[in-house]
Amino acid sequence: MQQGVGSCVVFAESGPSKKDYRLFNIPNDIAGNDVASMEHIISRRLKYYEDQKPDLILIDGGRTQLNFTNKILQDYGMKKILVLCTGNSCRSQILEGWLKTFSNGDYLVFSAGVEAHGINKDAVRYMNEVGIDLSNHTSDLIEKYCDIKFDLFVTVCDSAKESCPIIPNSIKVLHRNIDDPSKAQDKPNAFRRAILELKKLAEELDQILRN
């Protein structure tokens, strides 16, 4: 099977800028998907201009491609926060849920772990009490985000801070140790207490990201 290839042609004020032309190999699993291929090409191309956005992008496509490109550009220009705990199972998931609620779509929120233990069912249950659904969250390893530049990187447990194999490229790094409610004997009270504590932290982080 022949490798799919996408290209980006760049124009400067003086005309075509051949030194900035790029060809990108399209992964085989998305080669037949025009929209996914376009996302791959544009996202990779923008990495070459981390601090300089283009004034104009010409898209060879219809309304679907145009709307999708707008979404990519919006995400690219938004601030990003990554939350880390040991297993990306409980505390980081709760904080991610609060931050996504407070963000109102104004910044991007991610969470990860030194390990990936899956989503804690009690975290889902007790966050539902405050109207936040974690059931669609994923438990991810921090290596997934090693190529992304974050505006804020937050660790929420001492063990994750000490054992983290990768420190993401981040403008600001913060640490706050939150007790793990999943290890408490009185789990209902421990989870509700942790949820309130993480809500307060999310409010602080929201203000940092907006300033």
Side-chain angles (χ1 to χ4, degrees), residues 76-119:
Y76 182 77
M78 295 167 69
K79 289 186 176 181
K80 303 175 184 67
I81 178 173
L82 177 64
V83 180
L84 181 78
C85 71
T86 303
N88 194 212
S89 175
C90 186
R91 290 161 289 183
S92 56
Q93 297 288 347
I94 292 171
L95 184 54
E96 179 185 351
W98 279 122
L99 283 166
K100 285 182 174 177
T101 299
F102 292 144
S103 75
N104 196 30
D106 293 333
Y107 49 83
L108 300 175
V109 184
F110 305 88
S111 71
V114 177
E115 302 168 359
H117 295 168
I119 308 300

Side-chain angles (χ1 to χ4, degrees), residues 154-174:
V154 182
T155 51
V156 291
C157 65
D158 289 340
S159 61
K161 179 185 178 185
E162 295 165 1
S163 61
C164 182
I166 299 171
I167 302 298
N169 182 11
S170 306
I171 295 175
K172 189 169 187 178
V173 178
L174 295 175

Side-chain angles (χ1 to χ4, degrees), residues 79 152 172 174 203-211:
K79 289 186 176 181
L152 187 56
K172 189 169 187 178
L174 295 175
E203 290 171 339
E204 296 175 12
L205 299 173
D206 178 72
Q207 290 302 309
I208 292 173
L209 287 164
R210 294 184 185 280
N211 293 329

Side-chain angles (χ1 to χ4, degrees), residues 47-202:
K47 287 183 180 180
Y48 286 95
Y49 290 102
E50 186 70 28
D51 299 317
Q52 181 183 358
K53 291 184 183 179
D55 296 311
L56 177 67
I57 295 181
L58 298 179
I59 300 297
D60 181 13
R63 185 179 298 275
T64 299
Q65 286 79 6
L66 177 61
N67 290 340
F68 207 84
T69 302
N70 282 332
K71 180 63 168 59
I72 295 172
L73 293 174
Q74 289 170 7
D75 290 351
Y76 182 77
M78 295 167 69
K79 289 186 176 181
K80 303 175 184 67
I81 178 173
L82 177 64
V83 180
L84 181 78
C85 71
T86 303
N88 194 212
S89 175
C90 186
R91 290 161 289 183
S92 56
Q93 297 288 347
I94 292 171
L95 184 54
E96 179 185 351
W98 279 122
L99 283 166
K100 285 182 174 177
T101 299
F102 292 144
S103 75
N104 196 30
D106 293 333
Y107 49 83
L108 300 175
V109 184
F110 305 88
S111 71
V114 177
E115 302 168 359
H117 295 168
I119 308 300
N120 184 284
K121 293 181 180 179
D122 286 326
V124 176
R125 174 186 175 185
Y126 291 106
M127 283 295 277
N128 276 334
E129 291 185 351
V130 296
I132 297 176
D133 183 11
L134 303 184
S135 62
N136 291 323
H137 283 205
T138 59
S139 183
D140 301 312
L141 293 171
I142 191 171
E143 285 84 355
K144 178 179 179 179
Y145 301 108
C146 62
D147 292 330
I148 299 177
K149 182 177 181 180
F150 290 94
D151 297 273
L152 187 56
F153 173 55
V154 182
T155 51
V156 291
C157 65
D158 289 340
S159 61
K161 179 185 178 185
E162 295 165 1
S163 61
C164 182
I166 299 171
I167 302 298
N169 182 11
S170 306
I171 295 175
K172 189 169 187 178
V173 178
L174 295 175
H175 173 67
R176 190 75 56 85
N177 186 54
I178 307 293
D179 291 336
D180 187 353
S182 68
K183 296 181 179 180
Q185 290 186 340
D186 184 0
K187 284 185 172 56
N189 283 330
F191 268 94
R192 292 180 180 118
R193 183 168 56 250
I195 285 170
L196 290 177
E197 190 173 356
L198 288 162
K199 178 184 180 182
K200 182 178 179 181
L201 175 57

